[in-house]
Amino acid sequence: MLDSNIQYLKGVGPSRALKLQKLDIYTIGDLLNYFPVKYEDRRRVKKINEISEPGKYLLKVKIVEKPKHTKLKKKMTMIKAICKDDTGFIALTFFNNDFLLDKLIPGEWFYVFGNVKIAFGKFETANPEIERADKDWKAGRILPVYGLTYGLTNNEITKLVKTALETYYDRIQNILPEEIIREHGLTSRREAIRNLHFPSDSRKYSLAKKTMAFEKLLIMQLGLFNIKNNFSNEISHIKIKKRDLAERLLTSLPYKLTSAQLRVIEEIKEDLKGNKIMNRLVQGDVGSGKTVVAVYAMLAAVSSGYQASMMAPTEILALQHYETVKECLNLAGIDIKAEVLTGSTKAKEKEEILTKLKAGEIDIIVGTHALIEEKVEFKNIGLVVTDEQHRFGVRQRARLSNKGKAPHIMVMTATPIPRTLALMIYGDLDISLIDEMPPGRQRVITYVITEKEKIKAYDFIKEHLNKGRQAYIIAPLVEESENLDLNSAVEIYKELKSSYFSGYKLGLLHGKMTNIEKEEVINKFYEGKISLLISTTVVEVGVNVPNAAVMMILNAERFGLAQLHQLRGRVGRGSHQSYCILVNESKSKKSRDRMNILKRTNNGFIIAEEDLKIRGPGDFFGVRQHGLSKFEIQNIVNNVETLHQVQLISKKIMTENPGLTGPDYCNLKGEIMNLFKDETIIFN
Ligand code: ADP
Ligand code: MG
């Protein structure tokens, strides 16, 4: 069977099985679903004079003369063979491959597959694959290229997949109902899987890709719709009708809410007093003012006699939210009990908080995932707010909400999802949008520069530091890495501290530091004891220092647009004109285009739509974990059109056959239950 251990496959022994496990391949089915990351098209032999730019090519060439054999230093040897086809010449070089010397016989023809470089009009390739042209070789086919792990070659994986396909082909069953396959001109699952590994032509490949995308998306969409159906049919025992404390907050705020905030508050009010459990996502760009909306909702719950909780993805953010809550209570002169619980709350204190929560002596609790630990019990939790910031999965949230009688749920996110995708990613939730910024917000000016202009940017930062402002420099890595040529926070910190910024107050922040260390650095930055913070993306979520006016991001090309937008949101929070400097260290046009989008607009939704156009929808699926890995989706979801079709079908199925009954839907139902196994999926 397909769920048999991979060891049962011919060619897999215990040691290979261990290596496959590193790739998350445990069963034969896993292997069949381990699709190539890309392909090498070896269908067509290129003529040398057809090559106009460097790249991987398949050539058929004749050895012109006896190859040259040279000894280089340190036991290195090199063979250089000049070859030709009927259009031009190319030099092949091989290092430490002496055994080839006898095989490269002048006058004989070879297939050569390798990276061709062009230097001063001459073609050359180093260490290409090479095989005599009279052999039936890999030429003439499209070859899969798999993600590899140490000790497993592409050839080995290819062979194993081939064996698995030959042995188990007939056992691969359709997940999509026949009817859907027929109606949408898709193909069978086995055919799709075969063509994703070994595409015979581009039409079959596209069809295979579309079929798998259809399948994955349908599983996900139906699952989400089912959750939503279940939730919205769930009668709420928690009626939040009184709101006096919440209203008191509104009248004591030093600013007027935007009309978007007011509209969302109305939507929440309606939900909370109704008969159904609220399941609402509040989406709003960085700085749009989601927190005060959340505090409003929590105070409404407390006014009606319930407890409320707010969960944040990081400790920093949890502490910040706690401060905001306390500030709101102060402003409005509200005398209720609020507490904060995080991973570093001391055991004794934690014990006390837990006891009080259970006894109902705490009204509002703010915290990190420490809040979803089994031990936390509430007396009467009425509302659970999650500041998702794309870190929490649905599952964790489901766990927290299951404490006590199903409470109302509100999720906040600053990740703008294009409208076309929202239903797929947040299909289980009602969506509210805060699509307006508080008045008077300044626009952060964004520059895109190349690596060469970095020094100028450092000078620019210095100018601002001298004026009393603070700044961030973001690097993609924590520490120097051997195989990636990227900036690391630790190195940059060391370098800048001893050179350009010696004499300035520098700080270093990254994810490998302990919570206490991190907190210390952030506090110093808050207090102005650090003026230039070198950091990884850990500052992405929530750090709020109004005096910070410059954000410089190294290797900006490595980040998603949404992430860059988030990082940029760390500046422009005070009254000083702020700047974002993106250092684009890639030379590609695509990368330049992406950076320029950020230069043009500060609107997160526009940025997301553009990212969707450039990079496809795959990227957005990582935003929320539904069990489908980002990688899996990225490989498969190629167009928004398929997404639309799937959404229409899902809606139709949910009205016509919500229980997914009948043999044709059996496999589909199983897959949905499996994907959402930790959540409330009920088909009846
Ligand atoms: P986010 O949506 O990113 O979580 P916050 O809730 O942290 O944004 O709000 C950002 C800042 O804007 C806070 O300092 C908050 O006090 C302030 N703010 C929120 N709403 C308004 C408003 N209507 N007018 C002026 N300032 C506001
Ligand atoms: Mg926030």
Side-chain angles (χ1 to χ4, degrees), residues 442-445 447 460-461 463-465 467-472 525 531 545-552 568 570-581:
Q442 52 151 307
R443 193 189 146 96
V444 176
I445 297 173
Y447 301 113
F460 183 81
I461 291 178
E463 254 172 59
H464 284 82
L465 298 186
K467 278 192 262 177
R469 298 290 82 70
Q470 288 164 283
Y472 301 89
F525 194 55
S531 48
V545 177
N547 187 44
V550 188
M551 161 66 64
M552 177 177 182
R568 176 167 64 180
R570 298 304 111 218
V571 295
R573 303 188 143 235
S575 53
H576 312 287
Q577 175 59 54
S578 298
Y579 303 87
C580 176
I581 304 168

Coordinates of all heavy atoms in Angstrom, one line a residue, residues 442-445 447 460-461 463-465 467-472 525 531 545-552 568 570-581:
Q442 N 2.9 60.1 8.6 CA 3.8 60.5 7.5 C 4.1 59.3 6.6 O 3.9 58.2 7.0 CB 5.1 61.0 8.2 CG 5.6 60.0 9.1 CD 7.1 60.1 9.2 OE1 7.8 60.0 8.3 NE2 7.6 60.2 10.5
R443 N 4.5 59.7 5.4 CA 4.8 58.7 4.5 C 6.3 58.4 4.6 O 7.1 59.3 4.6 CB 4.5 59.2 3.1 CG 4.5 58.2 2.0 CD 4.4 58.8 0.7 NE 5.2 58.1 -0.3 CZ 4.7 57.1 -1.1 NH1 3.4 56.9 -1.1 NH2 5.4 56.5 -1.9
V444 N 6.7 57.1 4.8 CA 8.1 56.8 4.9 C 8.7 56.9 3.5 O 8.2 56.3 2.5 CB 8.3 55.4 5.4 CG1 9.8 55.0 5.5 CG2 7.7 55.3 6.8
I445 N 9.8 57.6 3.3 CA 10.4 57.7 2.0 C 11.4 56.6 1.8 O 12.2 56.2 2.7 CB 11.2 59.1 1.9 CG1 10.2 60.2 2.0 CG2 12.0 59.1 0.6 CD1 10.9 61.6 2.1
Y447 N 14.2 54.4 -0.4 CA 15.3 54.4 -1.4 C 15.7 53.0 -1.7 O 15.8 52.2 -0.8 CB 16.5 55.2 -1.0 CG 16.3 56.6 -0.6 CD1 16.4 57.0 0.7 CD2 15.9 57.6 -1.6 CE1 16.2 58.4 1.1 CE2 15.7 58.9 -1.2 CZ 15.9 59.3 0.1 OH 15.7 60.6 0.5
F460 N 24.3 58.7 5.7 CA 23.0 59.2 5.9 C 22.4 58.9 7.2 O 21.9 59.7 7.9 CB 22.1 58.6 4.8 CG 20.7 59.0 4.7 CD1 20.3 60.2 4.1 CD2 19.7 58.3 5.3 CE1 19.0 60.7 4.1 CE2 18.3 58.7 5.3 CZ 18.0 59.9 4.7
I461 N 22.7 57.6 7.7 CA 22.3 57.2 9.0 C 23.0 58.0 10.1 O 22.3 58.5 11.0 CB 22.5 55.7 9.2 CG1 21.6 54.9 8.3 CG2 22.4 55.3 10.7 CD1 21.8 53.4 8.4
E463 N 24.1 61.0 9.9 CA 23.5 62.3 10.0 C 22.3 62.3 10.9 O 22.1 63.2 11.8 CB 22.9 62.7 8.6 CG 23.7 63.8 7.9 CD 23.2 63.9 6.4 OE1 21.9 64.2 6.3 OE2 23.9 63.6 5.5
H464 N 21.4 61.3 10.8 CA 20.2 61.2 11.6 C 20.6 60.9 13.1 O 19.9 61.4 14.0 CB 19.2 60.2 11.0 CG 18.5 60.8 9.8 ND1 19.1 60.8 8.6 CD2 17.4 61.4 9.7 CE1 18.3 61.4 7.7 NE2 17.2 61.8 8.4
L465 N 21.5 60.1 13.3 CA 21.9 59.8 14.6 C 22.5 61.0 15.3 O 22.1 61.3 16.5 CB 23.0 58.7 14.7 CG 22.7 57.3 14.1 CD1 23.8 56.3 14.4 CD2 21.4 56.8 14.7
K467 N 21.5 63.9 14.8 CA 20.4 64.8 15.1 C 19.6 64.2 16.3 O 18.5 64.8 16.6 CB 19.5 64.9 13.9 CG 20.0 66.0 12.9 CD 18.9 66.3 11.8 CE 19.1 65.5 10.6 NZ 18.1 65.7 9.5
G468 N 20.0 63.1 16.8 CA 19.3 62.5 17.9 C 18.3 61.4 17.6 O 17.6 60.9 18.5
R469 N 18.2 61.1 16.3 CA 17.3 60.0 15.9 C 17.9 58.7 16.2 O 19.1 58.6 16.5 CB 16.9 60.1 14.4 CG 16.2 61.4 14.0 CD 14.8 61.5 14.5 NE 14.8 62.0 15.8 CZ 15.1 63.2 16.1 NH1 15.4 64.1 15.2 NH2 15.1 63.6 17.4
Q470 N 17.1 57.6 16.0 CA 17.6 56.2 16.1 C 17.4 55.5 14.8 O 16.6 56.0 14.0 CB 16.9 55.5 17.2 CG 17.4 56.0 18.6 CD 16.4 55.5 19.7 OE1 15.3 56.1 19.8 NE2 16.8 54.5 20.4
A471 N 18.1 54.4 14.6 CA 18.0 53.7 13.3 C 18.2 52.2 13.5 O 18.7 51.7 14.5 CB 19.1 54.3 12.3
Y472 N 17.7 51.5 12.4 CA 17.9 50.0 12.4 C 18.7 49.7 11.2 O 18.5 50.3 10.1 CB 16.5 49.3 12.2 CG 15.5 49.6 13.2 CD1 14.6 50.6 13.1 CD2 15.3 48.7 14.2 CE1 13.5 50.8 14.0 CE2 14.2 48.8 15.2 CZ 13.4 49.9 15.0 OH 12.3 50.1 15.9
F525 N 17.1 50.1 23.6 CA 16.8 50.8 22.3 C 15.6 51.8 22.6 O 15.6 52.9 22.2 CB 16.4 49.9 21.2 CG 16.4 50.5 19.8 CD1 17.4 51.2 19.3 CD2 15.2 50.3 19.1 CE1 17.4 51.7 18.1 CE2 15.2 50.9 17.8 CZ 16.3 51.6 17.3
S531 N 21.5 53.6 20.0 CA 20.9 54.5 18.9 C 20.9 53.8 17.6 O 20.1 54.1 16.7 CB 21.7 55.8 18.8 OG 23.1 55.6 18.8
V545 N 9.3 52.1 18.4 CA 10.1 53.1 18.9 C 10.0 54.4 18.0 O 10.6 54.5 17.0 CB 11.6 52.7 18.9 CG1 12.5 53.8 19.4 CG2 11.8 51.5 19.8
P546 N 9.2 55.3 18.5 CA 8.8 56.5 17.6 C 10.0 57.3 17.2 O 9.9 58.0 16.2 CB 7.8 57.3 18.5 CG 7.3 56.3 19.5 CD 8.4 55.3 19.8
N547 N 11.1 57.3 18.0 CA 12.2 58.1 17.6 C 13.1 57.5 16.5 O 14.0 58.2 16.0 CB 13.1 58.4 18.9 CG 14.2 59.3 18.7 OD1 14.0 60.4 18.0 ND2 15.4 59.0 19.1
A548 N 12.8 56.3 16.1 CA 13.6 55.6 15.1 C 13.1 56.2 13.7 O 11.9 56.2 13.4 CB 13.4 54.1 15.1
A549 N 14.1 56.7 12.9 CA 13.7 57.4 11.7 C 14.3 56.7 10.4 O 13.9 57.1 9.3 CB 14.1 58.8 11.8
V550 N 15.3 55.9 10.6 CA 15.9 55.2 9.4 C 15.9 53.7 9.6 O 16.3 53.2 10.6 CB 17.3 55.7 9.1 CG1 17.8 55.2 7.8 CG2 17.4 57.2 9.1
M551 N 15.5 53.0 8.5 CA 15.5 51.6 8.5 C 16.3 51.2 7.3 O 15.9 51.5 6.1 CB 14.0 51.1 8.4 CG 13.8 49.6 7.9 SD 14.4 48.4 9.0 CE 13.5 48.5 10.5
M552 N 17.4 50.5 7.5 CA 18.2 50.1 6.3 C 18.2 48.6 6.3 O 18.4 47.9 7.3 CB 19.6 50.6 6.5 CG 20.6 50.1 5.4 SD 22.2 50.9 5.7 CE 23.1 50.3 4.4
R568 N 9.6 48.0 7.2 CA 9.6 49.4 7.0 C 8.6 50.1 8.0 O 8.8 51.2 8.4 CB 9.1 49.7 5.6 CG 8.9 51.2 5.3 CD 8.8 51.4 3.8 NE 7.6 50.8 3.2 CZ 7.2 50.9 2.0 NH1 8.0 51.5 1.1 NH2 6.1 50.3 1.5
R570 N 8.5 49.7 11.0 CA 9.1 50.0 12.3 C 9.5 51.5 12.4 O 9.8 52.0 13.4 CB 10.4 49.2 12.5 CG 10.2 47.7 12.6 CD 9.3 47.2 13.6 NE 8.1 46.7 12.9 CZ 6.8 46.9 13.4 NH1 6.6 47.5 14.4 NH2 5.8 46.3 12.7
V571 N 9.6 52.2 11.2 CA 9.9 53.6 11.3 C 8.7 54.4 10.8 O 7.7 53.8 10.4 CB 11.2 54.0 10.4 CG1 12.4 53.3 11.0 CG2 11.0 53.6 9.0
G572 N 8.8 55.7 11.0 CA 7.7 56.5 10.7 C 6.6 56.5 11.7 O 5.4 56.7 11.4
R573 N 7.0 56.1 12.9 CA 6.0 56.0 14.0 C 5.9 57.2 14.9 O 5.1 57.3 15.8 CB 6.3 54.8 14.8 CG 6.3 53.5 14.0 CD 6.4 52.3 14.8 NE 5.6 51.3 14.2 CZ 4.7 50.6 14.7 NH1 4.4 50.8 16.0 NH2 4.0 49.7 14.1
G574 N 6.8 58.2 14.6 CA 6.8 59.4 15.4 C 6.6 60.6 14.5 O 6.0 60.5 13.5
S575 N 7.1 61.8 15.0 CA 6.8 63.0 14.2 C 7.9 63.3 13.2 O 7.8 64.2 12.4 CB 6.7 64.1 15.2 OG 7.8 64.2 16.0
H576 N 9.0 62.5 13.2 CA 10.1 62.8 12.4 C 10.0 62.1 11.0 O 9.6 61.0 10.9 CB 11.4 62.3 13.0 CG 11.6 62.7 14.4 ND1 11.9 64.0 14.8 CD2 11.5 62.0 15.6 CE1 11.9 64.1 16.1 NE2 11.7 62.9 16.6
Q577 N 10.3 62.9 10.0 CA 10.3 62.3 8.6 C 11.2 61.0 8.7 O 12.3 61.1 9.1 CB 10.8 63.3 7.6 CG 11.0 62.7 6.2 CD 9.6 62.1 5.6 OE1 8.6 62.8 5.6 NE2 9.6 60.8 5.3
S578 N 10.7 59.9 8.1 CA 11.5 58.7 8.2 C 11.8 58.1 6.9 O 11.2 58.4 5.9 CB 10.7 57.6 9.1 OG 10.5 58.1 10.4
Y579 N 12.8 57.2 6.9 CA 13.4 56.7 5.6 C 13.6 55.2 5.7 O 14.0 54.7 6.7 CB 14.7 57.4 5.3 CG 14.6 58.9 5.2 CD1 14.7 59.7 6.4 CD2 14.3 59.6 4.0 CE1 14.6 61.0 6.4 CE2 14.2 60.9 4.0 CZ 14.3 61.7 5.2 OH 14.2 63.0 5.1
C580 N 13.4 54.6 4.5 CA 13.7 53.2 4.4 C 14.7 53.0 3.3 O 14.4 53.5 2.2 CB 12.4 52.4 4.2 SG 12.7 50.6 4.0
I581 N 15.8 52.4 3.6 CA 16.8 52.2 2.5 C 16.9 50.7 2.2 O 17.4 49.9 3.1 CB 18.2 52.7 3.0 CG1 18.1 54.2 3.4 CG2 19.2 52.5 1.9 CD1 19.3 54.7 4.1

